[in-house]
Every structure is written in structure tokens, then in C-alpha cells.
Amino acid sequence: MPDVTGYRAKIGVIVPSTNTVVEHDVNALAPHGITFHCGRMYVENQAMGDHDSFVNLQTQLRASMSIALRDVMTAKPDLMMMGMSAPTFSGGVEGNTLFQKEVSDQVGGMPVTTGASACRAALEAIGVKKISVFSPYQPVADEWVDRYFTEAGFDVVSVTGLRCPTATSIAEVTPRDLVKVLEEIDTPETEAIVQVGTNLSFIRMADEAESWLGKPVVAINTATVWHTLRQAGFDDTVGGFGTLFRNF
């Protein structure tokens, strides 16, 4: 018998324990009959204000990922979605492929969507090549992002990091803060803007920004939900969250 609420599909989502945005965003984006269920990766030290602390945060996430996957699998999901993004960009295109395989192997071969692969698919669907990217990260992860998109065939105009000091402070970045960032990275050669970092809620602002920037703006949480659904064969469109989910 199908699940009463997730009667079309149940999607497992893996998030850091410090993340307060992904659950809100995926529920806002969820089509009828598709539900999202989170497993949380424990983070003891949430500092990420410099190179060493940022790398340590990624190490903590990888160490607790298996337990989060184990826990969420008890809900019997049909698909798995990664609600964290920095590690999925590490190591370029090959690194993302290996990360997906690592996770899939732990969940019985289930399809896995990552933020990196979702953003790539989104940009390919929209049909753009020259992109400007912003993140909440430190320079080490911005280098991962630059490498990934470059290897995936995009012309990266710039990657701008907000240098958030802690994992929870990412969720405290306001729309007013981001207006200035968008204006700074919107160069004439930029064909689309991409936001990465799943604890930065940008799904509604991306849609609004498209109206005054006049170009596609891709929020990573929107892209990851969109890609997860498309991989599963669901073609639902959702308005109010940008060109990607409305038209593709």
C-alpha cells in the first residue's frame, strides 16, 4: 500500500544538524503526494570562519553521514537527496561522481541527487554557459565550486564567498544582504547566477531577482528538488520559485 501522505514518492534528505533551511525549502517546493524526510548529520563544532575550521566542518559531516543515512532509510524512501552542497563540489566532476556512488552504495543502490549535479543539470536545461556564483563558503570551497563548474563545461565569470563564520549563521543572511551581492556579480557577460550553500534560503528571492536582473537565477535547493523529481520521472512544474521549476 502507498504511504498516505507520500503516495507518489518519499524522498530521503540528508542535512547537517545545524541546517535550519532545507526542510523549510523542500516542503515549500514539494508537489502533492511527494514528501521529504530528513536524516541529520551531527555537527559538534559549527565554526567555519577560516580555512581550517571550514575543512574541519566538512570532516565532521562525512564522519556522521553514514548514521544519518541509516536513520532516514528506516522511513523507506524511494530516492535520496543530499541537503548539503560543499562536499559535492569537492574534487571536481569526478569527485562528485564518487560522492554520489559512495552514498548510493550505502542505501542499496538507490538514486542519489547532489547539489553539484543538480546545478549542472539545471544550467544545461536552461541553456546557459557563462555563470556567476555566490556561496556562504570560505575560499577553499569556492575553489571547489569553480573547479566543478569549469570541468562541467561552464565559463565561470566569478565565485563570490560570503565567508559566514558559523554553520548556523548562514541562515541569518538576509535578502537585503543578498541584493548587494547580486548587483556586484551581475556582469554584462553573466548569463545566469547560481547560489550554492543549502542553509542559505534563496528559493523565493531567486524568482524575484530574475524579474529585475533579466536573467535566470538558480537557487541550489530549488535545483536539487527539481533534479530529484526529474530523475524520478515526475514532471510537475511549480511557480514562484524561478525559471527552472516553472519552465523545465
Side-chain angles (χ1 to χ4, degrees):
M1 295 294 292
D3 188 277
V4 172
T5 55
Y7 52 85
R8 297 172 70 200
K10 293 182 292 185
I11 299 172
V13 184
I14 303 303
V15 299
S17 61
T18 51
N19 192 299
T20 58
V21 165
V22 165
E23 287 160 308
H24 166 274
D25 283 3
V26 297
N27 286 319
L29 293 162
H32 68 90
I34 298 175
T35 54
F36 294 82
H37 311 278
C38 287
R40 305 184 77 83
M41 297 173 289
Y42 177 63
V43 175
E44 181 175 9
N45 181 359
Q46 62 166 281
M48 51 173 271
D50 55 37
H51 176 96
D52 290 342
S53 61
F54 187 89
V55 171
N56 178 60
L57 178 64
Q58 307 313 308
T59 301
Q60 292 179 74
L61 293 175
R62 293 301 292 267
S64 58
M65 186 171 67
S66 294
I67 295 174
L69 289 167
R70 178 204 67 185
D71 292 350
V72 79
M73 283 297 291
T74 63
K76 298 182 179 179
D78 304 293
L79 304 147
M80 192 64 63
M81 174 184 138
M82 301 310 296
M84 61 169 182
S85 61
T88 74
F89 290 102
S90 178
V93 170
E94 182 180 3
N96 176 63
T97 300
L98 292 173
F99 182 91
Q100 283 181 290
K101 184 179 186 305
E102 176 187 345
V103 175
S104 184
D105 287 346
Q106 293 184 60
V107 293
M110 183 181 298
V112 176
T113 303
T114 67
S117 58
C119 287
R120 176 181 183 175
L123 293 167
E124 289 174 345
I126 295 170
V128 294
K129 284 293 185 181
K130 295 182 179 180
I131 61 173
S132 293
V133 188
F134 72 94
S135 82
Y137 304 148
Q138 294 296 324
V140 58
D142 286 340
E143 292 172 6
W144 298 345
V145 170
D146 194 342
R147 175 183 171 184
Y148 175 84
F149 282 120
T150 299
E151 289 183 359
F154 299 97
D155 182 355
V156 181
V157 178
S158 65
V159 181
T160 299
L162 304 182
R163 313 293 184 251
C164 293
T166 67
T168 52
S169 69
I170 300 171
E172 297 166 3
V173 177
T174 69
R176 182 181 292 274
D177 296 328
L178 295 179
V179 167
K180 182 178 180 181
V181 175
L182 291 168
E183 290 175 341
E184 289 176 350
I185 67 176
D186 178 35
T187 68
E189 62 183 315
T190 299
E191 296 175 336
I193 289 173
V194 182
Q195 170 260 327
V196 300
T198 63
N199 204 27
L200 185 65
S201 189
F202 190 64
I203 60 172
R204 294 187 187 278
M205 188 177 179
D207 183 64
E208 297 167 0
E210 286 186 340
S211 67
W212 49 270
L213 291 174
K215 61 188 62 175
V217 180
V218 176
I220 192 166
N221 289 344
T222 302
T224 311
V225 171
W226 170 85
H227 194 223
T228 300
L229 296 178
R230 297 299 180 263
Q231 283 193 308
F234 298 111
D235 59 3
D236 303 61
T237 57
V238 181
F241 300 102
T243 297
L244 175 68
F245 225 150
R246 183 172 57 247
N247 297 336
F248 297 95

